[in-house]
Amino acid sequence: MQQECPSIADLMLLMTSRLEETARTIEQENAGRFLEEILNAKRIYLAGAGRSGLVARAFAQRLMHLGFESYVIGETITPAFGPEDVLVAFSGSGETRSVVDACETAREIGGTICLVTSTPESHIGRMADCIVEIGNNRLKDADIPRDFEIRQLTGQYRSVSGSFAPLGTLFETAALVFSDAIVSALMEVRHCTAEELKSRLANVQ
Ligand SMILES: O=C([C@H](O)CO)[C@H](O)[C@H](O)COP(=O)(O)O
């Protein structure tokens, strides 16, 4: 049974090559605007559902480590959002109801909305002040590559079809890598060291 399965290392390498392709399509201007919005925000609120929500939470934690005031929407202790605050939404579809609702409320209050998505022409996309597009959801189903030839560590080739990166996996993984790149950029801009981040690590967890 196991012989029919490609090696886990090969599947990971396939993901890294897809991530590399995705990274090359990021528009630096939009990523730069995203960085500016974070730097100028009074407070940063993170929103996302499901796996995109996990990426939002991971980013919120690193922003806190960097010394920003960051909150996750829906947490018990998250305070009121204000006009000088920035809401960062992670949503591949840009249509997830709870995230749309959070963005609509933030819009009414007058705050800034940043969206990380693979669907800029979406409900949230139409509300957002800043959009970073990751991957591309506009491709028709027929145009989405489903079959991959992977060169195995043994040197032989084999094909992998619909099992690779199901549903929003590529967006969610690339969004995490994107947000970690933003963290590195923020460390550079603010001359922040890993030691400073370490000093804010939770010591009771
Ligand atoms: O968890 C998710 C699902 O498993 C897709 O891979 C999504 O992240 C969740 O459904 C939220 O969707 P989006 O707002 O479109 O990212």
Side-chain angles (χ1 to χ4, degrees):
M1 182 66 179
Q2 285 208 350
Q3 274 138 2
E4 286 167 25
C5 174
S7 87
I8 301 303
D10 290 330
L11 289 168
M12 288 172 72
L13 289 167
L14 177 56
M15 175 55 91
T16 59
S17 75
R18 299 285 287 136
L19 284 175
E20 184 178 342
E21 284 167 28
T22 306
R24 291 188 191 287
T25 65
I26 299 275
E27 286 185 22
Q28 179 55 34
E29 199 183 320
N30 296 342
R33 167 91 194 270
F34 184 90
L35 200 67
E36 285 299 315
E37 295 294 358
I38 300 279
L39 286 164
N40 296 330
K42 183 176 173 209
R43 298 174 299 186
I44 304 144
Y45 288 65
L46 281 300
R51 286 166 54 104
S52 301
L54 296 176
V55 176
R57 296 168 81 87
F59 188 45
Q61 190 205 49
R62 280 286 183 263
L63 289 175
M64 178 276 286
H65 290 156
L66 280 160
F68 290 94
E69 202 175 332
S70 58
Y71 297 99
V72 175
I73 304 264
E75 292 282 304
T76 316
I77 58 157
T78 298
F81 184 85
E84 294 163 75
D85 297 328
V86 170
L87 171 58
V88 176
F90 285 85
S91 176
S93 63
E95 300 290 349
T96 301
R97 195 62 248 171
S98 58
V99 189
V100 171
D101 286 349
C103 290
E104 277 173 354
T105 306
R107 176 87 303 160
E108 284 162 21
I109 292 165
T112 302
I113 299 171
C114 293
L115 172 65
V116 181
T117 188
S118 50
T119 322
E121 60 295 311
S122 56
H123 204 133
I124 305 175
R126 285 187 286 279
M127 279 187 272
D129 302 284
C130 164
I131 302 178
V132 177
E133 183 176 358
I134 294 196
N136 190 338
N137 252 358
R138 281 164 299 187
L139 292 175
K140 292 193 198 88
D141 245 12
D143 297 330
I144 299 173
R146 295 270 178 239
D147 298 311
F148 299 93
E149 278 289 307
I150 55 176
R151 187 168 189 273
Q152 301 178 103
L153 293 175
T154 58
Q156 290 170 321
Y157 284 83
R158 68 162 288 160
S159 62
V160 174
S161 60
S163 59
F164 177 70
L167 308 177
T169 302
L170 186 58
F171 167 74
E172 291 136 15
T173 309
L176 179 65
V177 175
F178 164 77
S179 64
D180 278 338
I182 290 291
V183 169
S184 298
L186 289 168
M187 286 179 73
E188 291 287 335
V189 173
R190 287 164 59 115
H191 306 291
C192 187
T193 64
E195 280 308 307
E196 282 173 59
L197 269 73
K198 200 173 170 190
S199 72
R200 298 190 187 97
L201 265 182
N203 50 10
V204 270
Q205 58 180 334

